[in-house]
Amino acid sequence: MRTRIGALVASLAALSLPGCSTGDNWVVGQWVLLAEDGKPGACHEFKKDGSFTTYTTSDCGGSADALLSGRWELKDTTKLALKRGNDLRAKLAVITEKTAERFVSRGAIAGALYRVGAGGAAEVLRKLDAQGLIKLKPLPPELGCRQLGLGLPEIRKLPIEKEPRMLRQKDQSLEYHASTTTGDPKVEKVVYAMQQETIEWIALHLTAEAFAPPGPEERVQGAIGKPGDTVATGTGQKRQHIAMWKSYCAQLRDTPNKDIDVTLFATTGERRGTLYVSENVVSNLWEEMKQMVKDPAAQSTDEDEEEETPAKADTKTPAKADAKKAAPAKADAKKAAPAKAAKKAAPSKKAAPSDDDDI
């Protein structure tokens, strides 16, 4: 009899532990986070003993992040308290929606969490993708994440790039290095633009082979989806298309799911282009680029090359347009079009772009 009473007391004590009451059982299990911006996030595993594990990726079988893992407790039906790593106090995730297979919260966890079943996290992500809920997809390593993750000491060992294509006038002060050993027939070289101890952006210079069907934009689109925005400038063979994406690197310098931007400048008629990848640096120029291409005076045409006269060129011009167009003659230099250092003659008074620029 005493044995039965002891067992009953032990059972009641277990139910009183944080995260272990009968009403709390619904949260026990593995959940994949879909962040509010549509990017898959970390997998969270809530255990019956009141502890939880946060994995570094959406794969619930991957490595755990000790600083993001800890203890959990449901305060009531709408508040999930999480005490992570070295935090002194628990933080609340306020639950705004809940079903057996999904709950939405804000605060300590922001986004929607989907229950992982027998098919694993990959099956959950496939379903979310099919429903159009995944808005951001990881950039393949070979399209910029691997190159962006190169360490500064390794970059500085690379040859100096003497004529880099620049994105703005002030980029003349950046330090440039280039790697021509890409191992990819579609990439001529990779140029690294650095500001002291920070990588501003990297540029993958595309070869003519990159424009073989389906073409560079379609290849990037096949990997990370349709671009968030596109603009075009110029006419004929000089017509240039600019496509802009938000994406992320699954692992970048020991940081999981690092947000990045991807910008493609492609002049298909000349089979030339550049793919820029940065940690949200180039995306700050998107609005300026979109306004720039609306200026009729800066449009490049097939006839521009014939109209350029070296005798009238200003050889003191510090930079030339890298976006297949130069800023108008009256434009403020600080608002100039994407540019690169020039040794050639500047455009004529029509501000036509040089014929060797990609963007």
Side-chain angles (χ1 to χ4, degrees), residues 128-176:
L128 295 176
D129 192 23
Q131 296 170 19
L133 297 177
I134 294 180
K135 306 300 182 183
L136 292 180
K137 297 183 180 180
L139 186 71
E142 67 275 9
L143 289 181
C145 287
R146 183 176 63 243
Q147 296 88 338
L148 193 61
L150 190 65
L152 296 180
E154 289 78 9
I155 293 175
R156 289 200 166 98
K157 292 178 182 178
L158 297 173
I160 294 176
E161 175 66 16
K162 297 181 180 179
E163 294 189 1
R165 294 168 187 159
M166 298 181 187
L167 286 168
R168 51 196 170 180
Q169 199 77 3
K170 70 177 184 180
D171 284 353
Q172 295 175 87
S173 64
L174 298 181
E175 176 183 353
Y176 295 94

Side-chain angles (χ1 to χ4, degrees), residues 189-258:
K189 62 182 176 180
V190 180
V191 176
Y192 299 83
M194 302 193 309
Q195 179 69 48
Q196 296 179 350
E197 300 303 309
T198 303
I199 299 176
E200 286 285 291
W201 40 261
I202 65 167
L204 280 69
H205 292 229
L206 306 180
T207 64
E209 187 172 338
F211 288 83
E217 182 175 341
E218 289 72 14
R219 286 193 181 91
V220 178
Q221 180 173 307
I224 59 178
K226 294 182 179 180
D229 208 344
T230 59
V231 291
T233 180
T235 62
Q237 291 292 99
K238 292 182 177 294
R239 184 167 179 79
Q240 185 180 63
H241 199 66
I242 305 173
M244 297 155 273
W245 291 265
K246 282 288 188 177
S247 183
Y248 66 95
C249 292
Q251 196 74 25
L252 182 60
R253 293 189 293 276
D254 298 326
T255 301
N257 297 338
K258 181 68 175 180

Side-chain angles (χ1 to χ4, degrees), residues 1 37 47 57 59 73 79 132 136 156 171 279 289:
M1 183 66 177
D37 61 359
K47 302 173 183 177
T57 66
D59 182 3
E73 180 182 3
K79 293 183 179 66
L136 292 180
R156 289 200 166 98
D171 284 353
E279 296 182 49
M289 291 175 185

Side-chain angles (χ1 to χ4, degrees), residues 2 4 13-14 16 23 32 124 143 170 175 189 200-201 205 220 225-226 231 259 269 278 281 291 298 302 308 321 354:
R2 289 181 179 179
R4 292 181 179 178
S16 67
V32 171
V124 176
L143 289 181
K170 70 177 184 180
E175 176 183 353
K189 62 182 176 180
E200 286 285 291
W201 40 261
H205 292 229
V220 178
K226 294 182 179 180
V231 291
D259 290 330
S278 78
V281 174
Q291 292 300 317
D302 289 338
E308 291 179 10
S354 171

